[in-house]
Amino acid sequence: MKAIERIIEQAKQRPVRIVLSEGDDARVLRAAVKAAQGGIAEVILVGNTPQIQARAEEEGVCIASCILIDPATSPLRPALTDMLFALRAGKGMTRTQAEQAVLDPLCYANLLVRYGAADGSVAGAVQTTANVVRSAIQVIGLAPDCRLVSSFFLMMLCEPFHDLKGGLIFSDCGLVVEPSAEELADIALSAAESARQLLMETPRVAMLSFSTSGSARHAAVDKVVAASALVKSRQPELAIDGDVQLDAAIVQDIAARKLPDSQVKGQSNVLIFPNLEAGNIGYKLAERVGRAVAIGPLLQGLAKPANDLSRGCSEQDIYHVIAVTAVQAQQQAFHHQQASHQKPAMLATVTATQSDPC
């Protein structure tokens, strides 16, 4: 079974609430309906309800399976305004500014996630990455054990001509431009957790470089070596190679020659790039030349899932990101339950407008 098929099946096991804030986009509407009708998630569309309904009618899309929430008329608006003001007053936000910000569908969607009325959010078909990430960090915030929000791509190599088959995590390919050794270690640890959640495999991490085990000397190599040491100190049980060249990271015969003491042995499923330049080039080469399917950029390091879309995304891309976000939410809820030894709290009640049946 392909990695994305496993993710979709996992999402169906316990559907969670995923909120989308660009419901007047035809691609988003179709993906939302497909996800809701397929049992991937309970889908909430946030925005101007009449506009969303008019767009759905124009596109011939029945949105009866989705929940519609209009920030302007929602009874949750005062509570979410209070929440936002409490969060941002220290940064200079006034009460009047909070009241205006809550009317923005992206902000409102992320407030629903923080409030507990939704489990994750997806945006970016219309909004820029900068807006999506900024809102997620400001409203949802970082996970307790994370100091950095980074991104990753879920790369799928499932075609008959692929020698290396399965899913891979590529990180960071979309957000942190020139990470320090400490930030690179944070990216690696977050990406390892993303592999556990989405590949449903034990992570095997390669800290990529143009050097393998000290074969080259340069400040760029020193950064990767230092980051690898930090990762090992924080998670000694994690299988990790660093510094390592790409061929030794993914080809077992080459790993055996270049790195005989490797923990990963050429079977990496998490590739950590030393900077955004390398990561962006790497994932695009894998996608365009290697014909891998790239899902992302997805975000990691947040207290609750909030994922970005490319503005050039397709309906299928959005559907896949909804499924990924749902599984991330499931896994975070499970780990929270394990940590607290308590049953997860019930979701806050959402009073919403259910669209008219078709």
Side-chain angles (χ1 to χ4, degrees):
M1 186 180 292
K2 296 180 181 179
I4 192 61
E5 292 171 351
R6 291 199 303 270
I7 289 168
I8 289 169
E9 289 306 309
Q10 177 63 35
K12 290 178 180 179
Q13 298 303 309
R14 188 175 65 83
V16 296
R17 285 184 168 181
I18 303 301
V19 57
L20 291 85
S21 55
E22 298 164 325
D24 52 356
D25 184 279
R27 298 164 297 169
V28 172
L29 285 178
R30 293 193 182 96
V33 169
K34 183 177 179 180
Q37 291 182 347
I40 299 297
E42 296 180 57
V43 179
I44 302 169
L45 295 171
V46 170
N48 182 291
T49 295
Q51 288 182 5
I52 293 173
Q53 291 172 327
R55 182 61 182 226
E57 184 175 349
E58 177 185 324
E59 296 292 330
V61 178
C62 175
I63 54 174
S65 56
C66 300
I67 297 168
L68 305 186
I69 298 179
D70 192 328
T73 58
S74 171
L76 276 180
R77 179 178 162 191
L80 298 186
T81 300
D82 291 343
M83 177 182 288
L84 181 61
F85 180 60
L87 281 172
R88 303 298 298 167
K91 299 292 184 180
M93 178 175 278
T94 66
R95 177 78 189 188
T96 300
Q97 288 172 330
E99 290 170 349
Q100 287 300 310
V102 167
L103 295 174
D104 175 64
L106 176 61
C107 179
Y108 194 96
N110 285 329
L111 284 167
L112 284 179
V113 174
R114 186 178 182 99
Y115 187 74
D119 299 291
S121 71
V122 174
V126 179
Q127 293 275 359
T128 65
T129 291
N131 286 343
V132 172
V133 174
R134 184 185 306 112
S135 179
I137 292 173
Q138 291 180 349
V139 176
I140 295 175
L142 273 64
D145 56 346
C146 289
R147 295 169 293 184
L148 178 75
V149 172
S150 57
S151 75
F152 68 96
F153 278 84
L154 174 60
M155 307 295 294
M156 295 182 296
L157 299 100
C158 305
E159 298 298 333
F161 56 79
H162 285 140
D163 293 329
L164 178 65
K165 286 187 169 59
L168 295 172
I169 301 294
F170 281 25
S171 189
D172 182 348
C173 304
L175 200 58
V176 185
V177 178
E178 195 63 61
S180 65
E182 292 77 10
E183 290 172 333
L184 197 59
D186 287 341
I187 290 168
L189 290 166
S190 292
E193 183 58 29
S194 295
R196 292 186 189 98
Q197 292 179 349
L198 299 176
L199 301 182
M200 303 168 204
E201 298 174 358
T202 300
R204 301 180 298 278
V205 180
M207 305 292 285
L208 297 179
S209 175
F210 58 84
S211 166
T212 295
S213 192
S215 64
R217 294 188 177 277
H218 191 275
V221 177
D222 294 341
K223 181 180 78 170
V224 175
V225 171
S228 303
L230 287 170
V231 172
K232 290 175 183 177
S233 69
R234 291 168 64 181
Q235 285 193 18
E237 75 287 355
L238 182 65
I240 179 171
D241 284 344
D243 52 308
V244 62
Q245 291 166 289
L246 178 63
D247 54 357
I250 61 173
V251 181
Q252 295 182 51
D253 290 346
I254 295 176
R257 292 196 300 272
K258 286 189 172 184
L259 200 58
D261 296 329
S262 168
Q263 291 183 291
V264 175
K265 303 185 186 305
Q267 301 179 77
S268 304
N269 56 10
V270 179
L271 301 182
I272 304 301
F273 293 85
N275 56 31
L276 186 60
E277 186 172 36
N280 185 269
I281 293 169
Y283 103 79
K284 288 183 183 294
L285 275 172
E287 181 183 31
R288 301 301 179 183
V289 177
R291 291 170 62 186
V293 175
I295 298 177
L298 305 165
L299 301 181
Q300 55 192 9
L302 291 165
K304 293 183 179 180
N307 281 318
D308 185 28
L309 297 163
S310 165
R311 279 177 287 175
C313 63
S314 66
E315 170 192 334
Q316 187 75 348
D317 294 333
I318 301 169
Y319 173 74
H320 286 160
V321 174
I322 293 171
V324 166
T325 309
V327 171
Q328 288 177 316
Q330 288 178 354
Q331 294 294 323
Q332 285 194 355
F334 174 76
H335 288 307
H336 177 74
Q337 180 182 357
Q338 293 292 99
S340 63
H341 299 289
Q342 296 176 353
K343 293 181 179 179
M346 294 295 291
L347 288 175
T349 301
V350 180
T351 304
T353 302
Q354 185 73 32
S355 57
D356 291 334
C358 297

